[in-house]
């Protein structure tokens, strides 16, 4: 799959002696070459496969960043000038919130699978050591791409063709304990839109009720859910979104009832959305926790090795896992 870099540039956010964030800008775009192509290929893959992304759209009450995008798209503003103004906007937002951030600020416009994207990421620059060709130990710096925490991508093609969409922006929510919305969303004039986790939970409910509507046996239900789980995990592995029409084809039809028609009538699911990995457990497992107890088991075990008595609210397990049995005996 070809990835075509159209424009790319980097700037730097750093802390001065007083601990205030400062901005250093590059005047010219980067020339593409093996190193830049490798960087962008890795970034694109990491971003696509990053779990927990949220979607959004431009805030109607703040047109600042959207106006910059319009100007660079109609070529009344060069890409380099666009990034300079955008970087200054980010710095102003950090100063407004009295926040300190540093790292490499990357802007890239690229094409992939016929769609145009604008990716903006704040990357950590890490210090390390390396051994040179002369077998000398030397200081080195590198971009820690695997821990990318602050990034957003604007689907320019989606924005142009479907300006009323609530999902042409996607973004990573940020480090634990700090939401990207603290400053990154404000900088982008963006608000949250479609929630992949809610979509995935809605999918699980739809699959359950679709199986019920087809009057499937317990074994057939488990087979259908396993098929949905397999499809979703393959899409996650490839960094692709779930497509309801594709999933419907996988499930097949029965008496002119297909899954796509079923969800179109009764559920508010997008035709395409990224699957939330954590929600997939609900397709093949029963999971619950509370009061210091966490239980998870394959749904196919209910009624076989595991029995549930609703009257006494009792779960009976036959055949304790060996590692759990060893722990239990050790605690006697």
């Amino acid at each position: 799959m070809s990835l075509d870099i159209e424009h790319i540039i980097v700037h730097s956010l750093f802390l001065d002696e007083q601990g205030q964030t400062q901005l250093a800008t590059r005047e010219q775009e980067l020339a593409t070459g093996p190193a830049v192509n490798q960087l962008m290929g890795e970034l694109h893959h990491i971003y696509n496969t990053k779990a927990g992304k949220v979607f959004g759209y431009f805030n109607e009450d703040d047109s600042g960043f959207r106006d910059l995008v319009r100007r660079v798209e109609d070529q009344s503003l060069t890409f380099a000038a666009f990034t300079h103004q955008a970087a200054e906007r980010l710095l102003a937002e950090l100063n407004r919130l009295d926040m300190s951030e540093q790292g490499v600020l990357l802007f890239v416009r690229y094409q992939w699978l016929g769609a145009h994207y604008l990716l903006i990421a704040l990357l950590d620059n890490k210090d390390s050591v390396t051994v040179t060709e002369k077998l000398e130990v030397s200081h080195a710096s590198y971009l820690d791409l695997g821990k990318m925490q602050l990034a957003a991508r604007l689907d320019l093609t989606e924005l142009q063709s479907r300006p009323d969409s609530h999902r042409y922006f996607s973004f990573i929510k940020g480090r634990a304990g700090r939401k990207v919305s603290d400053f990154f969303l404000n900088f982008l004039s963006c608000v949250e839109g479609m929630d992949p986790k809610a979509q995935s939970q809605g999918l699980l409910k739809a699959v359950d009720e679709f199986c019920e509507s087809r009057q499937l046996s317990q074994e057939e239900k488990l087979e259908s859910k396993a098929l949905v789980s397999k499809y979703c995990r393959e899409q996650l592995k490839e960094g692709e979104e779930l497509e309801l029409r594709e999933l419907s084809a996988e499930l097949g039809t029965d008496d002119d009832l297909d899954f796509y028609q079923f969800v179109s009538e009764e559920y508010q699911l997008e035709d395409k959305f990224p699957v939330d990995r954590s929600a997939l457990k609900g397709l093949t497992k029963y999971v619950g926790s509370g009061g210091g107890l966490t239980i998870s088991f394959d749904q196919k075990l209910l009624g076989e090795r595991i029995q549930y008595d609703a009257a006494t609210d009792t779960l009976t397990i036959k055949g304790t896992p060996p590692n759990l049995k060893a722990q239990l005996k050790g605690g006697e």
Side-chain angles (χ1 to χ4, degrees):
M1 290 180 276
S2 176
L3 188 152
D4 182 22
I5 301 172
E6 297 168 329
H7 304 279
I8 183 168
I9 195 169
V10 293
H11 306 304
S12 175
L13 291 176
F14 63 96
L15 302 182
D16 61 19
E17 294 179 355
Q18 288 72 44
Q20 296 295 311
T21 303
Q22 302 294 335
L23 172 67
T25 58
R26 177 185 170 91
E27 293 304 314
Q28 302 296 326
E29 295 181 28
L30 292 169
T32 57
V36 169
N37 290 337
Q38 181 179 349
L39 167 66
M40 192 54 217
E42 291 181 19
L43 270 177
H44 174 75
H45 175 73
I46 291 170
Y47 189 86
N48 271 8
T49 55
K50 194 82 169 178
K53 289 193 293 292
V54 179
F55 285 75
Y57 57 101
F58 280 122
N59 185 350
E60 294 181 0
D61 297 329
D62 179 7
S63 61
F65 188 80
R66 183 166 194 165
D67 287 343
L68 289 177
V69 171
R70 284 171 176 160
R71 291 180 63 194
V72 73
E73 286 298 291
D74 67 19
Q75 299 184 355
S76 64
L77 196 64
T78 67
F79 188 77
F82 156 73
T83 67
H84 292 161
Q85 293 189 35
E88 291 286 355
R89 178 181 168 87
L90 174 57
L91 180 63
E93 183 63 24
L94 287 170
N95 290 336
R96 185 182 72 84
L97 296 174
D98 195 24
M99 295 183 66
S100 298
E101 285 292 334
Q102 58 184 334
V104 175
L105 182 60
L106 177 140
F107 293 82
V108 57
R109 189 189 197 276
Y110 69 100
Q111 184 177 355
W112 182 63
L113 296 180
H116 295 271
Y117 297 96
L118 174 66
L119 176 67
I120 303 169
L122 184 60
L123 307 172
D124 288 337
N125 208 15
K126 295 293 186 182
D127 292 328
S128 184
V129 293
T130 187
V131 176
T132 67
E133 293 180 357
K134 296 182 179 180
L135 301 182
E136 297 285 346
V137 176
S138 175
H139 176 270
S141 295
Y142 69 97
L143 292 174
D144 195 357
L145 303 183
K147 294 184 179 179
M148 176 172 58
Q149 296 289 342
L150 292 172
R153 186 170 68 181
L154 175 59
D155 186 333
L156 297 166
T157 302
E158 174 88 356
L159 174 61
Q160 182 178 23
S161 61
R162 297 179 58 206
D164 294 332
S165 167
H166 281 188
R167 53 160 298 161
Y168 46 73
F169 252 122
S170 64
F171 54 90
I172 298 170
K173 293 211 82 171
R175 302 181 184 94
R178 185 193 67 181
K179 293 184 177 180
V180 68
S181 54
D182 289 340
F183 67 97
F184 216 56
L185 288 188
N186 293 337
F187 148 63
L188 296 168
S189 306
C190 180
V191 292
E192 291 190 28
M194 187 194 74
D195 184 349
K197 187 170 185 178
Q199 289 282 303
S200 297
Q201 291 171 342
L203 173 70
L204 266 59
K205 183 174 185 291
V207 170
D208 269 332
E209 296 183 0
F210 179 67
C211 291
E212 291 294 334
S213 71
R214 297 177 75 179
Q215 299 182 336
L216 300 181
S217 66
Q218 183 63 18
E219 184 178 350
E220 290 172 329
K221 288 179 185 177
L222 293 174
E223 289 176 356
S224 294
K225 289 182 177 182
L227 190 62
V228 173
S229 178
K230 179 175 180 290
Y231 170 80
C232 290
R233 293 187 186 282
E234 287 175 350
Q235 296 301 98
L236 277 170
K237 184 179 179 181
E238 297 297 323
E240 300 289 344
E241 297 185 2
L242 175 150
E243 296 193 26
L244 285 178
R245 290 187 185 276
E246 281 187 359
L247 179 57
S248 182
E250 292 281 339
L251 287 171
T253 60
D254 183 24
D255 297 329
D256 298 323
L257 177 67
D258 72 30
F259 184 68
Y260 184 79
Q261 292 172 330
F262 181 81
V263 297
S264 297
E265 294 172 1
E266 301 186 32
Y267 301 87
Q268 295 181 337
L269 294 179
E270 298 276 343
D271 280 356
K272 292 177 59 178
F273 59 90
V275 180
D276 180 73
R277 191 183 302 273
S278 64
L280 290 182
K281 291 181 180 179
L283 283 169
T284 57
K285 294 181 178 292
Y286 289 115
V287 181
S289 61
L293 180 68
T294 298
I295 297 176
S296 172
F297 60 89
D298 290 344
Q299 292 182 4
K300 64 183 180 181
L301 297 180
L302 187 64
E304 297 178 4
R305 285 176 53 195
I306 299 176
Q307 306 291 332
Y308 178 62
D309 186 338
T312 60
D313 192 24
T314 303
L315 202 65
T316 304
I317 302 173
K318 295 181 180 179
T320 310
N323 56 348
L324 176 59
K325 185 187 296 184
Q327 294 175 62
L328 294 172
K329 286 185 175 180
E332 291 179 348

